[in-house]
Amino acid sequence: MRTRVGVAVTAIVAAAGLYAFSPRSMPQFEQTRIPVDTMQLNSLARSSAGLVAAGELGQILVSRDDGMSWQAAHLPQSRQAPITRTVFAANGTGLALGHEGWILRSTDGGLSWEESAFEKSNGEPLMSAARLPSGEWLAVGAFGRVLHSLDDGRSWQPHVIPGLSDWHLNSINGSADGRQWLITGEAGSVLRSDDGGASWAVVPPFYKGSIYGAVQLASGTWVAYGMRGKVHYSDDGGRSWQASSVQAPISTYAHSLGDDGRLLLLAGQGGILLASHDQGRSFQVIRKEGRASLTGINRLGDGSLLLSSDGGLQRYKPATHSAAATQGRAGVPTPTGAS
């Protein structure tokens, strides 16, 4: 009897051991969702890989489906420094700029990045960069800092522009043909170039506040925008400027042009969107919602806008004729409602 019981117990133990170590399929875990609807995102750009958003803690995200889903880009290491802007040039090179003089470089549309500059001490934020027709890159940032690269963004050196003060520099933007360029910044700072960025001239101040960005329209008119709803336009290549008529005294930080290079949108504080149909002479409010500051605009294939902000990504579809505007969080179906 004892023998039979012992054999039975041994068999049970053996069976349990075999089951414990036998191969089995693991349950499918739900993919981790990136909280793009709540993250602080300072930049939104389109590249050969899709849409690229970047911001808090040095995170860079890529979407291949117009912002419906996102994946984290591959970075060599986490610096935890905020990304201020991403830029992609026509030759395929992309740069991500950040605090502490951080510069990352990509050649695959932002899917992966390599570090080309970082300063742990005394590294002021870099705010904007552009690839000039010569192939040289210029990066601008806080306290009048300018860097340049002669090897397509792989390495960087300090650069001096005569007449430049130590005011913060917020953006560098070029015309479609690459001939005219503007650098804009704090205290109404504007520098202009008519020779593809080879030389620069300081524009006499026409506004005492910060200018956050500039864009040239298809007509050749330049529009510069910034603090407190102040927008100016220039019809002579940035030599002289006139004030635009703006309905709201709210700062604007980003712009977008229509397919024909005419309709101009500005985005800024309080979720505001401003539209101009007259070459930047006047702007009307087409959206004002929430407290988030909008930092980027990208037009999607269905006519809607994807907006980056310090409170996450948002979708907005401007009203057309009698149709009501719709709006909602990125990646969530947009409910119908009044604009």
Side-chain angles (χ1 to χ4, degrees):
M1 181 66 178
R2 290 180 179 179
T3 301
R4 288 197 298 271
V5 171
V7 171
V9 170
T10 301
I12 293 172
V13 171
L18 289 172
Y19 176 79
F21 292 99
S22 62
R24 61 179 64 87
S25 60
M26 295 295 292
Q28 187 70 32
F29 291 101
E30 183 179 356
Q31 186 175 3
T32 302
R33 180 181 178 275
I34 299 175
V36 292
D37 51 356
T38 58
M39 296 173 61
Q40 178 178 342
L41 295 170
N42 303 319
S43 175
L44 181 63
R46 188 173 287 277
S47 73
S48 59
L51 290 170
V52 180
E56 68 175 63
L57 299 177
Q59 297 190 69
I60 303 177
L61 310 173
V62 183
S63 173
R64 295 177 177 271
D65 53 12
D66 267 357
M68 298 306 295
S69 63
W70 295 83
Q71 68 180 78
H74 175 72
L75 274 63
Q77 57 185 313
S78 177
R79 293 289 192 180
Q80 303 292 305
I83 299 292
T84 58
R85 188 167 303 191
T86 54
V87 181
F88 293 90
N91 73 332
T93 301
L95 295 183
L97 311 170
H99 287 230
E100 301 183 69
W102 198 20
I103 303 178
L104 295 161
R105 181 177 182 271
S106 175
T107 57
D108 59 6
L111 295 172
S112 62
W113 299 81
E114 59 183 14
E115 184 175 279
S116 58
F118 183 77
E119 297 182 32
K120 191 171 183 179
S121 61
N122 196 32
E124 293 88 358
L126 295 170
M127 306 301 294
S128 184
R131 190 176 189 269
L132 304 177
S134 64
E136 174 186 5
W137 278 90
L138 279 187
V140 300
F143 304 107
R145 189 179 193 198
V146 181
L147 302 176
H148 74 151
S149 172
L150 301 177
D151 55 6
D152 202 26
R154 294 177 179 85
S155 62
W156 296 84
Q157 299 80 37
H159 185 65
V160 176
I161 296 179
L164 183 64
S165 68
D166 61 354
W167 294 115
H168 298 334
L169 301 177
N170 297 317
S171 74
I172 174 170
N173 298 96
S175 58
D177 62 7
R179 184 172 60 88
Q180 294 184 348
W181 290 83
L182 290 183
I183 295 175
T184 61
E186 191 180 19
S189 301
V190 176
L191 294 93
R192 56 179 297 274
S193 173
D194 281 332
D195 55 10
S199 63
W200 297 85
V202 177
V203 177
F206 53 89
Y207 170 55
K208 295 182 180 180
S210 291
I211 300 174
Y212 296 124
V215 59
Q216 190 186 54
L217 309 181
S219 63
T221 296
W222 279 95
V223 176
Y225 52 90
M227 288 182 65
R228 304 186 186 94
K230 300 298 183 181
V231 182
H232 296 79
Y233 65 92
S234 171
D235 290 326
D236 58 5
R239 293 176 179 84
S240 62
W241 297 80
Q242 293 77 44
S244 304
S245 173
V246 182
Q247 291 181 345
I250 295 177
S251 299
T252 48
Y253 307 117
H255 68 262
S256 175
L257 287 176
D259 293 336
D260 59 0
R262 294 182 179 181
L263 174 62
L264 173 64
L265 295 179
L266 299 180
Q269 289 178 320
I272 197 169
L273 281 176
L274 305 174
S276 175
H277 297 268
D278 57 4
Q279 306 299 300
R281 269 66 174 170
S282 64
F283 288 82
Q284 295 74 45
V285 177
I286 62 171
R287 177 190 189 259
K288 187 177 185 298
E289 180 178 334
R291 298 181 179 179
S293 291
L294 303 179
T295 58
I297 315 173
N298 199 278
R299 296 176 183 270
L300 305 180
D302 63 359
S304 62
L305 304 174
L306 189 64
L307 310 169
S308 61
S309 79
D310 59 4
L313 287 177
Q314 304 175 18
R315 285 182 186 270
Y316 172 73
K317 190 164 187 177
T320 56
H321 303 291
S322 60
T326 59
Q327 58 200 35
R329 290 293 188 183
V332 180
T334 52
T336 302
S339 61

